[in-house]
PDB file of all heavy atoms in Angstrom:
ATOM      1  N   LEU A   1     117.658 107.576  95.927  1.00 78.00           N
ATOM      2  CA  LEU A   1     117.975 106.153  96.085  1.00 78.00           C
ATOM      3  C   LEU A   1     118.092 105.463  94.730  1.00 78.00           C
ATOM      4  O   LEU A   1     118.842 104.497  94.586  1.00 78.00           O
ATOM      5  CB  LEU A   1     116.893 105.468  96.934  1.00 78.00           C
ATOM      6  CG  LEU A   1     116.860 105.858  98.420  1.00 78.00           C
ATOM      7  CD1 LEU A   1     115.623 105.293  99.090  1.00 78.00           C
ATOM      8  CD2 LEU A   1     118.117 105.381  99.141  1.00 78.00           C
ATOM      9  N   THR A   2     117.345 105.960  93.739  1.00 78.00           N
ATOM     10  CA  THR A   2     117.420 105.400  92.387  1.00 78.00           C
ATOM     11  C   THR A   2     118.708 105.817  91.698  1.00 78.00           C
ATOM     12  O   THR A   2     119.381 105.014  91.036  1.00 78.00           O
ATOM     13  CB  THR A   2     116.205 105.843  91.548  1.00 78.00           C
ATOM     14  OG1 THR A   2     115.005 105.446  92.231  1.00 78.00           O
ATOM     15  CG2 THR A   2     116.233 105.207  90.172  1.00 78.00           C
ATOM     16  N   GLU A   3     119.077 107.101  91.848  1.00 79.00           N
ATOM     17  CA  GLU A   3     120.288 107.616  91.215  1.00 79.00           C
ATOM     18  C   GLU A   3     121.554 107.092  91.896  1.00 79.00           C
ATOM     19  O   GLU A   3     122.578 106.909  91.242  1.00 79.00           O
ATOM     20  CB  GLU A   3     120.280 109.152  91.267  1.00 79.00           C
ATOM     21  CG  GLU A   3     119.219 109.784  90.372  1.00 79.00           C
ATOM     22  CD  GLU A   3     119.094 111.283  90.583  1.00 79.00           C
ATOM     23  OE1 GLU A   3     119.803 111.813  91.470  1.00 79.00           O
ATOM     24  OE2 GLU A   3     118.287 111.930  89.885  1.00 79.00           O
ATOM     25  N   ARG A   4     121.465 106.871  93.197  1.00 77.00           N
ATOM     26  CA  ARG A   4     122.623 106.373  93.954  1.00 77.00           C
ATOM     27  C   ARG A   4     122.205 105.118  94.713  1.00 77.00           C
ATOM     28  O   ARG A   4     121.909 105.177  95.911  1.00 77.00           O
ATOM     29  CB  ARG A   4     123.110 107.430  94.944  1.00 77.00           C
ATOM     30  CG  ARG A   4     123.680 108.682  94.281  1.00 77.00           C
ATOM     31  CD  ARG A   4     124.038 109.704  95.336  1.00 77.00           C
ATOM     32  NE  ARG A   4     124.686 110.865  94.745  1.00 77.00           N
ATOM     33  CZ  ARG A   4     125.892 111.309  95.096  1.00 77.00           C
ATOM     34  NH1 ARG A   4     126.579 110.697  96.036  1.00 77.00           N
ATOM     35  NH2 ARG A   4     126.408 112.373  94.521  1.00 77.00           N
ATOM     36  N   PRO A   5     122.171 103.959  94.060  1.00 72.00           N
ATOM     37  CA  PRO A   5     121.699 102.729  94.707  1.00 72.00           C
ATOM     38  C   PRO A   5     122.449 102.381  95.984  1.00 72.00           C
ATOM     39  O   PRO A   5     121.866 101.849  96.935  1.00 72.00           O
ATOM     40  CB  PRO A   5     121.932 101.660  93.627  1.00 72.00           C
ATOM     41  CG  PRO A   5     121.958 102.413  92.341  1.00 72.00           C
ATOM     42  CD  PRO A   5     122.556 103.747  92.674  1.00 72.00           C
ATOM     43  N   SER A   6     123.739 102.693  96.032  1.00 72.00           N
ATOM     44  CA  SER A   6     124.515 102.354  97.226  1.00 72.00           C
ATOM     45  C   SER A   6     124.167 103.236  98.422  1.00 72.00           C
ATOM     46  O   SER A   6     124.602 102.988  99.543  1.00 72.00           O
ATOM     47  CB  SER A   6     126.019 102.434  96.940  1.00 72.00           C
ATOM     48  OG  SER A   6     126.349 103.679  96.380  1.00 72.00           O
ATOM     49  N   LEU A   7     123.352 104.280  98.165  1.00 76.00           N
ATOM     50  CA  LEU A   7     122.879 105.130  99.263  1.00 76.00           C
ATOM     51  C   LEU A   7     121.840 104.403 100.113  1.00 76.00           C
ATOM     52  O   LEU A   7     121.546 104.803 101.233  1.00 76.00           O
ATOM     53  CB  LEU A   7     122.281 106.417  98.690  1.00 76.00           C
ATOM     54  CG  LEU A   7     121.966 107.579  99.641  1.00 76.00           C
ATOM     55  CD1 LEU A   7     123.229 108.072 100.336  1.00 76.00           C
ATOM     56  CD2 LEU A   7     121.312 108.729  98.886  1.00 76.00           C
ATOM     57  N   GLU A   8     121.302 103.298  99.576  1.00 74.00           N
ATOM     58  CA  GLU A   8     120.237 102.578 100.285  1.00 74.00           C
ATOM     59  C   GLU A   8     120.721 102.003 101.618  1.00 74.00           C
ATOM     60  O   GLU A   8     119.965 101.945 102.582  1.00 74.00           O
ATOM     61  CB  GLU A   8     119.668 101.460  99.414  1.00 74.00           C
ATOM     62  CG  GLU A   8     118.437 100.826 100.028  1.00 74.00           C
ATOM     63  CD  GLU A   8     117.687  99.943  99.037  1.00 74.00           C
ATOM     64  OE1 GLU A   8     118.016  99.949  97.839  1.00 74.00           O
ATOM     65  OE2 GLU A   8     116.769  99.243  99.497  1.00 74.00           O
ATOM     66  N   SER A   9     121.984 101.597 101.681  1.00 79.00           N
ATOM     67  CA  SER A   9     122.505 101.058 102.944  1.00 79.00           C
ATOM     68  C   SER A   9     122.513 102.131 104.029  1.00 79.00           C
ATOM     69  O   SER A   9     122.140 101.870 105.177  1.00 79.00           O
ATOM     70  CB  SER A   9     123.919 100.503 102.749  1.00 79.00           C
ATOM     71  OG  SER A   9     123.882  99.339 101.953  1.00 79.00           O
ATOM     72  N   ALA A  10     122.924 103.348 103.657  1.00 80.00           N
ATOM     73  CA  ALA A  10     122.886 104.456 104.619  1.00 80.00           C
ATOM     74  C   ALA A  10     121.447 104.760 105.009  1.00 80.00           C
ATOM     75  O   ALA A  10     121.152 105.035 106.181  1.00 80.00           O
ATOM     76  CB  ALA A  10     123.548 105.698 104.011  1.00 80.00           C
ATOM     77  N   ALA A  11     120.532 104.697 104.022  1.00 78.00           N
ATOM     78  CA  ALA A  11     119.116 104.944 104.307  1.00 78.00           C
ATOM     79  C   ALA A  11     118.567 103.917 105.289  1.00 78.00           C
ATOM     80  O   ALA A  11     117.811 104.264 106.205  1.00 78.00           O
ATOM     81  CB  ALA A  11     118.313 104.909 103.004  1.00 78.00           C
ATOM     82  N   MET A  12     118.966 102.656 105.129  1.00 79.00           N
ATOM     83  CA  MET A  12     118.483 101.611 106.034  1.00 79.00           C
ATOM     84  C   MET A  12     119.075 101.786 107.432  1.00 79.00           C
ATOM     85  O   MET A  12     118.420 101.475 108.433  1.00 79.00           O
ATOM     86  CB  MET A  12     118.813 100.225 105.483  1.00 79.00           C
ATOM     87  CG  MET A  12     118.029  99.860 104.230  1.00 79.00           C
ATOM     88  SD  MET A  12     116.233 100.080 104.361  1.00 79.00           S
ATOM     89  CE  MET A  12     115.815  98.990 105.707  1.00 79.00           C
ATOM     90  N   LEU A  13     120.312 102.279 107.517  1.00 85.00           N
ATOM     91  CA  LEU A  13     120.889 102.599 108.832  1.00 85.00           C
ATOM     92  C   LEU A  13     120.070 103.699 109.510  1.00 85.00           C
ATOM     93  O   LEU A  13     119.806 103.641 110.717  1.00 85.00           O
ATOM     94  CB  LEU A  13     122.344 103.052 108.682  1.00 85.00           C
ATOM     95  CG  LEU A  13     123.395 101.960 108.482  1.00 85.00           C
ATOM     96  CD1 LEU A  13     124.755 102.589 108.195  1.00 85.00           C
ATOM     97  CD2 LEU A  13     123.485 101.048 109.708  1.00 85.00           C
ATOM     98  N   ILE A  14     119.647 104.681 108.710  1.00 82.00           N
ATOM     99  CA  ILE A  14     118.830 105.773 109.251  1.00 82.00           C
ATOM    100  C   ILE A  14     117.477 105.241 109.695  1.00 82.00           C
ATOM    101  O   ILE A  14     116.957 105.628 110.753  1.00 82.00           O
ATOM    102  CB  ILE A  14     118.673 106.905 108.209  1.00 82.00           C
ATOM    103  CG1 ILE A  14     120.025 107.595 107.982  1.00 82.00           C
ATOM    104  CG2 ILE A  14     117.640 107.926 108.666  1.00 82.00           C
ATOM    105  CD1 ILE A  14     120.031 108.613 106.853  1.00 82.00           C
ATOM    106  N   VAL A  15     116.891 104.330 108.902  1.00 79.00           N
ATOM    107  CA  VAL A  15     115.616 103.713 109.284  1.00 79.00           C
ATOM    108  C   VAL A  15     115.762 102.999 110.635  1.00 79.00           C
ATOM    109  O   VAL A  15     114.919 103.128 111.518  1.00 79.00           O
ATOM    110  CB  VAL A  15     115.138 102.720 108.197  1.00 79.00           C
ATOM    111  CG1 VAL A  15     113.985 101.852 108.710  1.00 79.00           C
ATOM    112  CG2 VAL A  15     114.695 103.480 106.953  1.00 79.00           C
ATOM    113  N   GLY A  16     116.855 102.247 110.790  1.00 85.00           N
ATOM    114  CA  GLY A  16     117.105 101.571 112.061  1.00 85.00           C
ATOM    115  C   GLY A  16     117.292 102.555 113.208  1.00 85.00           C
ATOM    116  O   GLY A  16     116.798 102.336 114.321  1.00 85.00           O
ATOM    117  N   TRP A  17     117.966 103.670 112.916  1.00 86.00           N
ATOM    118  CA  TRP A  17     118.202 104.696 113.942  1.00 86.00           C
ATOM    119  C   TRP A  17     116.889 105.371 114.347  1.00 86.00           C
ATOM    120  O   TRP A  17     116.678 105.692 115.509  1.00 86.00           O
ATOM    121  CB  TRP A  17     119.220 105.711 113.424  1.00 86.00           C
ATOM    122  CG  TRP A  17     119.584 106.796 114.397  1.00 86.00           C
ATOM    123  CD1 TRP A  17     119.487 108.138 114.213  1.00 86.00           C
ATOM    124  CD2 TRP A  17     120.139 106.638 115.717  1.00 86.00           C
ATOM    125  NE1 TRP A  17     119.931 108.820 115.325  1.00 86.00           N
ATOM    126  CE2 TRP A  17     120.336 107.922 116.262  1.00 86.00           C
ATOM    127  CE3 TRP A  17     120.479 105.516 116.485  1.00 86.00           C
ATOM    128  CZ2 TRP A  17     120.857 108.135 117.537  1.00 86.00           C
ATOM    129  CZ3 TRP A  17     121.006 105.722 117.761  1.00 86.00           C
ATOM    130  CH2 TRP A  17     121.184 107.018 118.278  1.00 86.00           C
ATOM    131  N   VAL A  18     116.010 105.571 113.371  1.00 80.00           N
ATOM    132  CA  VAL A  18     114.673 106.109 113.680  1.00 80.00           C
ATOM    133  C   VAL A  18     113.920 105.121 114.565  1.00 80.00           C
ATOM    134  O   VAL A  18     113.199 105.517 115.492  1.00 80.00           O
ATOM    135  CB  VAL A  18     113.884 106.386 112.378  1.00 80.00           C
ATOM    136  CG1 VAL A  18     112.429 106.741 112.682  1.00 80.00           C
ATOM    137  CG2 VAL A  18     114.543 107.529 111.606  1.00 80.00           C
ATOM    138  N   GLY A  19     114.097 103.828 114.294  1.00 82.00           N
ATOM    139  CA  GLY A  19     113.500 102.804 115.155  1.00 82.00           C
ATOM    140  C   GLY A  19     114.017 102.899 116.577  1.00 82.00           C
ATOM    141  O   GLY A  19     113.257 102.756 117.544  1.00 82.00           O
ATOM    142  N   VAL A  20     115.312 103.175 116.715  1.00 87.00           N
ATOM    143  CA  VAL A  20     115.902 103.361 118.052  1.00 87.00           C
ATOM    144  C   VAL A  20     115.256 104.563 118.744  1.00 87.00           C
ATOM    145  O   VAL A  20     114.948 104.526 119.934  1.00 87.00           O
ATOM    146  CB  VAL A  20     117.432 103.553 117.955  1.00 87.00           C
ATOM    147  CG1 VAL A  20     118.023 103.980 119.300  1.00 87.00           C
ATOM    148  CG2 VAL A  20     118.097 102.265 117.477  1.00 87.00           C
ATOM    149  N   LYS A  21     115.034 105.644 117.967  1.00 83.00           N
ATOM    150  CA  LYS A  21     114.396 106.839 118.534  1.00 83.00           C
ATOM    151  C   LYS A  21     113.004 106.511 119.067  1.00 83.00           C
ATOM    152  O   LYS A  21     112.642 106.892 120.197  1.00 83.00           O
ATOM    153  CB  LYS A  21     114.280 107.940 117.478  1.00 83.00           C
ATOM    154  CG  LYS A  21     113.687 109.239 118.028  1.00 83.00           C
ATOM    155  CD  LYS A  21     113.335 110.229 116.930  1.00 83.00           C
ATOM    156  CE  LYS A  21     112.005 109.884 116.309  1.00 83.00           C
ATOM    157  NZ  LYS A  21     111.480 110.962 115.447  1.00 83.00           N
ATOM    158  N   LEU A  22     112.216 105.766 118.280  1.00 79.00           N
ATOM    159  CA  LEU A  22     110.879 105.379 118.733  1.00 79.00           C
ATOM    160  C   LEU A  22     110.964 104.468 119.961  1.00 79.00           C
ATOM    161  O   LEU A  22     110.131 104.553 120.873  1.00 79.00           O
ATOM    162  CB  LEU A  22     110.129 104.656 117.612  1.00 79.00           C
ATOM    163  CG  LEU A  22     109.629 105.511 116.449  1.00 79.00           C
ATOM    164  CD1 LEU A  22     108.960 104.636 115.387  1.00 79.00           C
ATOM    165  CD2 LEU A  22     108.656 106.576 116.913  1.00 79.00           C
ATOM    166  N   ALA A  23     111.974 103.608 119.997  1.00 86.00           N
ATOM    167  CA  ALA A  23     112.160 102.722 121.152  1.00 86.00           C
ATOM    168  C   ALA A  23     112.472 103.525 122.416  1.00 86.00           C
ATOM    169  O   ALA A  23     111.955 103.239 123.506  1.00 86.00           O
ATOM    170  CB  ALA A  23     113.279 101.715 120.875  1.00 86.00           C
ATOM    171  N   VAL A  24     113.321 104.551 122.267  1.00 86.00           N
ATOM    172  CA  VAL A  24     113.665 105.414 123.403  1.00 86.00           C
ATOM    173  C   VAL A  24     112.423 106.136 123.920  1.00 86.00           C
ATOM    174  O   VAL A  24     112.192 106.234 125.131  1.00 86.00           O
ATOM    175  CB  VAL A  24     114.772 106.419 123.011  1.00 86.00           C
ATOM    176  CG1 VAL A  24     114.951 107.488 124.084  1.00 86.00           C
ATOM    177  CG2 VAL A  24     116.093 105.687 122.786  1.00 86.00           C
ATOM    178  N   HIS A  25     111.589 106.626 122.993  1.00 80.00           N
ATOM    179  CA  HIS A  25     110.338 107.285 123.387  1.00 80.00           C
ATOM    180  C   HIS A  25     109.414 106.308 124.111  1.00 80.00           C
ATOM    181  O   HIS A  25     108.731 106.679 125.067  1.00 80.00           O
ATOM    182  CB  HIS A  25     109.629 107.852 122.147  1.00 80.00           C
ATOM    183  CG  HIS A  25     110.154 109.185 121.725  1.00 80.00           C
ATOM    184  ND1 HIS A  25     109.521 110.371 122.002  1.00 80.00           N
ATOM    185  CD2 HIS A  25     111.291 109.532 121.059  1.00 80.00           C
ATOM    186  CE1 HIS A  25     110.218 111.380 121.511  1.00 80.00           C
ATOM    187  NE2 HIS A  25     111.302 110.896 120.938  1.00 80.00           N
ATOM    188  N   THR A  26     109.399 105.052 123.638  1.00 82.00           N
ATOM    189  CA  THR A  26     108.570 104.035 124.286  1.00 82.00           C
ATOM    190  C   THR A  26     109.051 103.768 125.713  1.00 82.00           C
ATOM    191  O   THR A  26     108.244 103.642 126.647  1.00 82.00           O
ATOM    192  CB  THR A  26     108.617 102.716 123.481  1.00 82.00           C
ATOM    193  OG1 THR A  26     108.171 102.976 122.142  1.00 82.00           O
ATOM    194  CG2 THR A  26     107.714 101.663 124.104  1.00 82.00           C
ATOM    195  N   LEU A  27     110.363 103.705 125.884  1.00 87.00           N
ATOM    196  CA  LEU A  27     110.924 103.438 127.217  1.00 87.00           C
ATOM    197  C   LEU A  27     110.674 104.590 128.191  1.00 87.00           C
ATOM    198  O   LEU A  27     110.751 104.408 129.408  1.00 87.00           O
ATOM    199  CB  LEU A  27     112.433 103.168 127.098  1.00 87.00           C
ATOM    200  CG  LEU A  27     112.815 101.883 126.354  1.00 87.00           C
ATOM    201  CD1 LEU A  27     114.327 101.792 126.177  1.00 87.00           C
ATOM    202  CD2 LEU A  27     112.305 100.653 127.102  1.00 87.00           C
ATOM    203  N   ALA A  28     110.367 105.774 127.644  1.00 84.00           N
ATOM    204  CA  ALA A  28     110.070 106.924 128.498  1.00 84.00           C
ATOM    205  C   ALA A  28     108.572 107.057 128.785  1.00 84.00           C
ATOM    206  O   ALA A  28     108.153 107.941 129.530  1.00 84.00           O
ATOM    207  CB  ALA A  28     110.573 108.209 127.840  1.00 84.00           C
ATOM    208  N   HIS A  29     107.762 106.170 128.158  1.00 78.00           N
ATOM    209  CA  HIS A  29     106.313 106.220 128.355  1.00 78.00           C
ATOM    210  C   HIS A  29     105.975 106.016 129.830  1.00 78.00           C
ATOM    211  O   HIS A  29     106.665 105.275 130.543  1.00 78.00           O
ATOM    212  CB  HIS A  29     105.649 105.133 127.504  1.00 78.00           C
ATOM    213  CG  HIS A  29     104.169 105.266 127.403  1.00 78.00           C
ATOM    214  ND1 HIS A  29     103.324 104.864 128.408  1.00 78.00           N
ATOM    215  CD2 HIS A  29     103.380 105.768 126.424  1.00 78.00           C
ATOM    216  CE1 HIS A  29     102.068 105.091 128.042  1.00 78.00           C
ATOM    217  NE2 HIS A  29     102.079 105.654 126.841  1.00 78.00           N
ATOM    218  N   ASP A  30     104.911 106.674 130.286  1.00 76.00           N
ATOM    219  CA  ASP A  30     104.528 106.600 131.707  1.00 76.00           C
ATOM    220  C   ASP A  30     104.304 105.172 132.179  1.00 76.00           C
ATOM    221  O   ASP A  30     104.591 104.841 133.335  1.00 76.00           O
ATOM    222  CB  ASP A  30     103.242 107.417 131.941  1.00 76.00           C
ATOM    223  CG  ASP A  30     103.492 108.911 131.815  1.00 76.00           C
ATOM    224  OD1 ASP A  30     104.666 109.324 131.982  1.00 76.00           O
ATOM    225  OD2 ASP A  30     102.539 109.658 131.538  1.00 76.00           O
ATOM    226  N   ALA A  31     103.790 104.306 131.292  1.00 75.00           N
ATOM    227  CA  ALA A  31     103.503 102.921 131.682  1.00 75.00           C
ATOM    228  C   ALA A  31     104.772 102.077 131.777  1.00 75.00           C
ATOM    229  O   ALA A  31     104.775 101.024 132.420  1.00 75.00           O
ATOM    230  CB  ALA A  31     102.534 102.290 130.688  1.00 75.00           C
ATOM    231  N   VAL A  32     105.849 102.519 131.114  1.00 81.00           N
ATOM    232  CA  VAL A  32     107.122 101.775 131.131  1.00 81.00           C
ATOM    233  C   VAL A  32     108.124 102.469 132.047  1.00 81.00           C
ATOM    234  O   VAL A  32     108.689 101.872 132.959  1.00 81.00           O
ATOM    235  CB  VAL A  32     107.698 101.653 129.697  1.00 81.00           C
ATOM    236  CG1 VAL A  32     108.981 100.829 129.697  1.00 81.00           C
ATOM    237  CG2 VAL A  32     106.664 101.041 128.762  1.00 81.00           C
ATOM    238  N   HIS A  33     108.382 103.732 131.738  1.00 80.00           N
ATOM    239  CA  HIS A  33     109.192 104.636 132.566  1.00 80.00           C
ATOM    240  C   HIS A  33     110.558 104.067 132.960  1.00 80.00           C
ATOM    241  O   HIS A  33     110.979 104.120 134.109  1.00 80.00           O
ATOM    242  CB  HIS A  33     108.410 105.019 133.829  1.00 80.00           C
ATOM    243  CG  HIS A  33     108.895 106.313 134.426  1.00 80.00           C
ATOM    244  ND1 HIS A  33     108.893 107.503 133.725  1.00 80.00           N
ATOM    245  CD2 HIS A  33     109.428 106.593 135.653  1.00 80.00           C
ATOM    246  CE1 HIS A  33     109.394 108.459 134.503  1.00 80.00           C
ATOM    247  NE2 HIS A  33     109.712 107.934 135.664  1.00 80.00           N
ATOM    248  N   LEU A  34     111.258 103.507 131.960  1.00 87.00           N
ATOM    249  CA  LEU A  34     112.634 103.060 132.197  1.00 87.00           C
ATOM    250  C   LEU A  34     113.632 104.181 131.930  1.00 87.00           C
ATOM    251  O   LEU A  34     114.783 104.115 132.373  1.00 87.00           O
ATOM    252  CB  LEU A  34     112.958 101.853 131.315  1.00 87.00           C
ATOM    253  CG  LEU A  34     112.184 100.563 131.623  1.00 87.00           C
ATOM    254  CD1 LEU A  34     112.536  99.477 130.630  1.00 87.00           C
ATOM    255  CD2 LEU A  34     112.466 100.091 133.055  1.00 87.00           C
ATOM    256  N   ILE A  35     113.185 105.182 131.185  1.00 87.00           N
ATOM    257  CA  ILE A  35     114.000 106.361 130.887  1.00 87.00           C
ATOM    258  C   ILE A  35     113.178 107.590 131.256  1.00 87.00           C
ATOM    259  O   ILE A  35     111.992 107.656 130.924  1.00 87.00           O
ATOM    260  CB  ILE A  35     114.370 106.417 129.386  1.00 87.00           C
ATOM    261  CG1 ILE A  35     115.242 105.214 129.003  1.00 87.00           C
ATOM    262  CG2 ILE A  35     115.108 107.709 129.047  1.00 87.00           C
ATOM    263  CD1 ILE A  35     115.565 105.138 127.521  1.00 87.00           C
ATOM    264  N   PRO A  36     113.751 108.566 131.941  1.00 87.00           N
ATOM    265  CA  PRO A  36     112.971 109.759 132.320  1.00 87.00           C
ATOM    266  C   PRO A  36     112.588 110.613 131.110  1.00 87.00           C
ATOM    267  O   PRO A  36     113.341 110.715 130.137  1.00 87.00           O
ATOM    268  CB  PRO A  36     113.923 110.517 133.255  1.00 87.00           C
ATOM    269  CG  PRO A  36     115.283 110.018 132.935  1.00 87.00           C
ATOM    270  CD  PRO A  36     115.118 108.598 132.477  1.00 87.00           C
ATOM    271  N   HIS A  37     111.401 111.231 131.167  1.00 77.00           N
ATOM    272  CA  HIS A  37     110.936 112.118 130.096  1.00 77.00           C
ATOM    273  C   HIS A  37     111.911 113.270 129.866  1.00 77.00           C
ATOM    274  O   HIS A  37     112.105 113.721 128.741  1.00 77.00           O
ATOM    275  CB  HIS A  37     109.561 112.708 130.453  1.00 77.00           C
ATOM    276  CG  HIS A  37     108.430 111.771 130.189  1.00 77.00           C
ATOM    277  ND1 HIS A  37     108.035 111.412 128.924  1.00 77.00           N
ATOM    278  CD2 HIS A  37     107.607 111.112 131.038  1.00 77.00           C
ATOM    279  CE1 HIS A  37     107.016 110.579 128.994  1.00 77.00           C
ATOM    280  NE2 HIS A  37     106.731 110.377 130.265  1.00 77.00           N
ATOM    281  N   SER A  38     112.510 113.734 130.951  1.00 81.00           N
ATOM    282  CA  SER A  38     113.424 114.881 130.842  1.00 81.00           C
ATOM    283  C   SER A  38     114.600 114.563 129.925  1.00 81.00           C
ATOM    284  O   SER A  38     115.114 115.449 129.225  1.00 81.00           O
ATOM    285  CB  SER A  38     113.940 115.272 132.237  1.00 81.00           C
ATOM    286  OG  SER A  38     114.559 114.167 132.867  1.00 81.00           O
ATOM    287  N   PHE A  39     115.035 113.292 129.901  1.00 86.00           N
ATOM    288  CA  PHE A  39     116.142 112.906 129.024  1.00 86.00           C
ATOM    289  C   PHE A  39     115.680 112.871 127.565  1.00 86.00           C
ATOM    290  O   PHE A  39     116.342 113.413 126.673  1.00 86.00           O
ATOM    291  CB  PHE A  39     116.688 111.536 129.427  1.00 86.00           C
ATOM    292  CG  PHE A  39     117.718 110.993 128.459  1.00 86.00           C
ATOM    293  CD1 PHE A  39     119.005 111.506 128.425  1.00 86.00           C
ATOM    294  CD2 PHE A  39     117.378 109.986 127.559  1.00 86.00           C
ATOM    295  CE1 PHE A  39     119.949 111.023 127.528  1.00 86.00           C
ATOM    296  CE2 PHE A  39     118.306 109.493 126.659  1.00 86.00           C
ATOM    297  CZ  PHE A  39     119.592 110.012 126.642  1.00 86.00           C
ATOM    298  N   VAL A  40     114.517 112.240 127.318  1.00 81.00           N
ATOM    299  CA  VAL A  40     114.010 112.095 125.953  1.00 81.00           C
ATOM    300  C   VAL A  40     113.694 113.445 125.325  1.00 81.00           C
ATOM    301  O   VAL A  40     113.938 113.671 124.141  1.00 81.00           O
ATOM    302  CB  VAL A  40     112.747 111.199 125.947  1.00 81.00           C
ATOM    303  CG1 VAL A  40     112.100 111.176 124.564  1.00 81.00           C
ATOM    304  CG2 VAL A  40     113.115 109.790 126.368  1.00 81.00           C
ATOM    305  N   GLU A  41     113.144 114.346 126.133  1.00 75.00           N
ATOM    306  CA  GLU A  41     112.748 115.656 125.616  1.00 75.00           C
ATOM    307  C   GLU A  41     113.862 116.697 125.747  1.00 75.00           C
ATOM    308  O   GLU A  41     113.722 117.823 125.267  1.00 75.00           O
ATOM    309  CB  GLU A  41     111.498 116.145 126.355  1.00 75.00           C
ATOM    310  CG  GLU A  41     110.281 115.264 126.088  1.00 75.00           C
ATOM    311  CD  GLU A  41     109.159 115.513 127.077  1.00 75.00           C
ATOM    312  OE1 GLU A  41     109.303 116.438 127.899  1.00 75.00           O
ATOM    313  OE2 GLU A  41     108.149 114.780 127.035  1.00 75.00           O
ATOM    314  N   GLY A  42     114.959 116.322 126.389  1.00 81.00           N
ATOM    315  CA  GLY A  42     116.035 117.270 126.661  1.00 81.00           C
ATOM    316  C   GLY A  42     117.036 117.408 125.522  1.00 81.00           C
ATOM    317  O   GLY A  42     116.995 116.674 124.520  1.00 81.00           O
TER     318      GLY A  42
END
């Protein structure tokens, strides 16, 4: 990120995408169960 400062925008997109992944896992939680576990783990 230091050598290629413009890479930071791609890194932040990845950070947001990781957030989406955690959100999907949350939606598959037994207490929420809006998405089936089979999809998240599949």
Side-chain angles (χ1 to χ4, degrees):
L1 290 171
T2 303
E3 291 172 357
R4 294 176 175 237
S6 53
L7 192 61
E8 188 167 351
S9 291
M12 291 309 300
L13 281 174
I14 292 173
V15 168
W17 182 236
V18 171
V20 170
K21 183 191 81 168
L22 287 177
V24 169
H25 277 259
T26 302
L27 293 174
H29 192 281
D30 290 337
V32 183
H33 203 59
L34 294 177
I35 297 176
H37 280 291
S38 56
F39 173 75
V40 173
E41 295 165 5

